[in-house]
Amino acid sequence: MPEPTAAQSSSAPTSTVDYDDLRRLAVELAEAAAAHVRARRPEVFTDGEAVDGAVATKGHATDPVTIVDTESEQLIRGLLATRRPADAILGEEGGGDVGATAPGTVTWVLDPIDGTVNFLYGLPGYAVSVAAVRDGEPVAGAVVDVAAATTYSAALGGGSHAVTADGTRTRLRCTREDSLSLALVATGFAYGRDRRTQQAAVLTRVLPEIRDIRRLGAAAMDLCHVAAGRLDAYYEHGLNAWDWAAGALIAAEAGAVVRVPPVTVGGAAGELTVVAAPGIATDLTALLERAGATTALPD
């Protein structure tokens, strides 16, 4: 994730932007939304059931969106309208176009609840993700693990950190694992039947060559787990920019090798995202190539 070039910066309306300032704002936005999500869940889901009108679907019957997703994104958009009204926004629920902005413009890429199915079922492992993207590259971001109240954040060139609920701050480093056969790898699956079937076929070729697989259900959290050394690698087809923009930067700043689609490519294209500890990145890429995973799996 390279720094914008001098030519890009010289003509940019935000050429003096400080990436750590953007990181701090991303943290503020994500933590405010996470507090709202945390407070709203027991109000929306009572006795294990959602209140009327709280849950709908989009795209696929198994792909839920809740009223809290919408509220969370509206909260972030409202704060940005006050704090940085000239910036663009791309959100999972409210849309936007990251490719339509002028050079140097900051676009905020928002996932108001990453891991909505986990949120729906009350499983820990859902997050709010906020990233600042400039000239196609994430330059700052924050991911808040809502249930654990832990905030992961990074600024381009400034490393990545986690701050727990008690205020403990830790510099993030991915693992030093150098044997693919001992690697713990996470992945995820699409909602559409056809892509799921192909992803399952890939998994049968990957699983025998690694320690084990994990499917946790929230891409942003998976990427932070790689950054924190809890996973050795993660791969998945069909992520949208809001799924990976903050988490991929956090992982990269923790030393991971990162392969992501362009921010302008939507999840329907089925491009591959891979984030891995450097000691296994080359071998994992070769394994994914043999497994047929480096070919896009359109929805």
Side-chain angles (χ1 to χ4, degrees):
M1 296 183 180
E3 188 96 18
T5 65
Q8 288 171 325
S9 296
S10 64
S11 61
T14 54
S15 57
T16 60
V17 68
D18 184 300
Y19 294 159
D20 200 51
D21 284 346
L22 295 181
R23 182 197 63 79
R24 284 190 287 269
L25 180 55
V27 167
E28 178 184 334
L29 299 171
E31 289 184 342
H36 178 80
V37 172
R38 194 178 301 116
R40 283 286 280 150
R41 194 181 188 284
E43 298 172 352
V44 171
F45 297 93
T46 59
D47 298 324
E49 297 292 333
V51 300
D52 288 345
V55 182
T57 60
K58 54 183 183 180
H60 299 280
T62 52
D63 185 6
V65 58
T66 74
I67 189 173
V68 186
D69 292 78
T70 304
E71 291 171 353
S72 175
E73 184 166 321
Q74 288 174 342
L75 187 156
I76 298 170
R77 286 176 178 269
L79 291 171
L80 282 169
T82 300
R83 300 292 297 276
R84 291 186 64 91
D87 292 352
I89 300 175
L90 170 66
E92 179 174 9
E93 309 308 334
D97 186 357
V98 73
T101 57
T105 300
V106 172
T107 299
W108 294 90
V109 180
L110 316 176
D111 196 335
I113 302 179
D114 183 54
T116 299
V117 172
N118 288 346
F119 174 73
L120 188 67
Y121 279 80
L123 290 171
Y126 50 93
V128 176
S129 176
V130 176
V133 172
R134 191 174 186 229
D135 297 321
E137 299 290 342
V139 296
V143 174
V144 178
D145 180 337
V146 176
T150 296
T151 301
Y152 303 85
S153 69
L156 185 64
S160 55
H161 297 81
V163 179
T164 58
D166 66 2
T168 302
R169 180 179 173 89
T170 305
R171 178 72 178 258
L172 299 177
R173 299 286 188 191
C174 59
T175 71
R176 298 181 179 180
E177 184 58 63
D178 59 5
S179 173
L180 186 61
S181 65
L182 297 178
L184 185 62
V185 180
T187 191
F189 304 104
Y191 293 105
R193 181 185 181 92
D194 290 345
R195 187 191 283 168
R196 271 179 175 267
T197 300
Q198 295 177 79
Q199 288 173 320
V202 168
L203 182 59
T204 63
R205 302 180 190 113
V206 170
L207 185 55
E209 307 298 327
I210 61 175
R211 179 193 292 273
D212 207 349
I213 203 79
R214 292 291 181 268
R215 196 284 198 256
L216 304 176
M221 288 303 311
D222 286 327
L223 295 169
C224 291
H225 289 320
V226 174
R230 300 188 194 99
L231 294 168
D232 297 304
Y234 164 81
Y235 77 92
E236 186 171 350
H237 293 87
L239 297 185
N240 289 287
W242 50 75
D243 297 309
W244 61 258
L249 176 64
I250 292 166
E253 288 293 327
V257 176
V258 172
R259 166 183 171 167
V260 295
V263 293
T264 52
V265 173
E271 295 289 341
L272 178 66
T273 294
V274 184
V275 177
I280 62 165
T282 299
D283 289 343
L284 178 61
T285 299
L287 172 59
L288 292 172
E289 288 175 350
R290 294 195 303 272
T294 51
T295 300
L297 301 178
D299 194 8

